[in-house]
Amino acid sequence: MKPTTVDDCKLIKIDQIGDRRGHISVVENNREVPFEVKRVYYLYDVPSGEERGGHAHKELQQLIVAVSGSFDIVVDDGTKKETFSLNRPNKGLYFPAGLWREINNFSSGAICLVLASHTYDEKDYIRGYQDFISYKNDT
Ligand code: TYD
């Protein structure tokens, strides 16, 4: 078994700087995220009932934040599954490599912000669940 498990996912509290005018939350490399951010992308306009994800990454680490609305991330390490609910812009899920994820239960208007440790590389994806299980078993 490759070492990452669902227990390596960490909910991270992101400080809020704020007053009556609202809040600012800041994410800096190697502080709130334990990696250097190379890419930022966001999911939005997800229709009710739709699911995203359904893949794993070999190297990519991510910090995932619900900057608006809410959604659930179902993490699967091949042995154990855990669901993390994200619903506040000051809470992020640190997501290491080597885990299967599905993102579902999007609220209307939800925006899923992803800070990623690498630029886009299709070769880093494992898109089949059985391929993921083989990858985890291939020590
Ligand atoms: P994918 O990562 O499969 O989306 P999700 O996990 O949210 O369902 O990406 C969907 C499509 O977008 C896929 O064709 C690859 C493309 N894509 C890029 O071109 N660059 C990127 O940085 C990302 C994240 C996706």
Side-chain angles (χ1 to χ4, degrees):
M1 265 301 191
K2 287 218 168 41
T4 26
T5 74
V6 295
D7 299 327
D8 296 313
C9 286
K10 298 265 176 281
L11 281 170
I12 291 178
K13 184 98 167 26
I14 305 166
D15 280 349
Q16 283 186 327
I17 306 162
D19 54 37
R20 61 173 181 79
R21 300 167 302 157
H23 291 103
I24 299 174
S25 286
V26 182
V27 177
E28 291 188 6
N29 283 340
N30 301 311
R31 285 187 51 174
E32 290 78 9
V33 277
F35 56 83
E36 197 177 323
V37 177
K38 298 255 179 64
R39 176 169 50 126
V40 175
Y41 63 90
Y42 36 98
L43 301 171
Y44 55 99
D45 289 349
V46 179
S48 170
E50 272 303 340
E51 189 166 280
R52 304 289 311 215
H55 62 254
H57 285 280
K58 296 174 193 165
E59 299 292 338
L60 191 75
Q61 302 173 70
Q62 295 161 307
L63 181 78
I64 304 176
V65 182
V67 289
S68 182
S70 62
F71 48 82
D72 293 338
I73 306 178
V74 184
V75 187
D76 180 344
D77 59 21
T79 304
K80 196 168 130 189
K81 274 191 188 188
E82 192 164 333
T83 300
F84 295 89
S85 294
L86 293 182
N87 51 19
R88 286 289 301 155
N90 67 334
K91 188 166 82 170
L93 182 68
Y94 167 67
F95 205 99
L99 298 172
W100 189 263
R101 95 288 311 275
E102 275 151 21
I103 311 177
N104 58 28
N105 203 17
F106 284 88
S107 69
S108 164
I111 302 177
C112 172
L113 178 73
V114 182
L115 310 185
S117 64
H118 292 83
T119 54
Y120 174 71
D121 179 5
E122 186 58 37
K123 292 192 295 298
D124 188 62
Y125 281 76
I126 304 169
R127 291 205 180 266
Y129 189 73
Q130 283 315 315
D131 293 339
F132 168 67
I133 296 300
S134 307
Y135 178 80
K136 294 296 269 186
N137 286 325
D138 177 23
T139 47

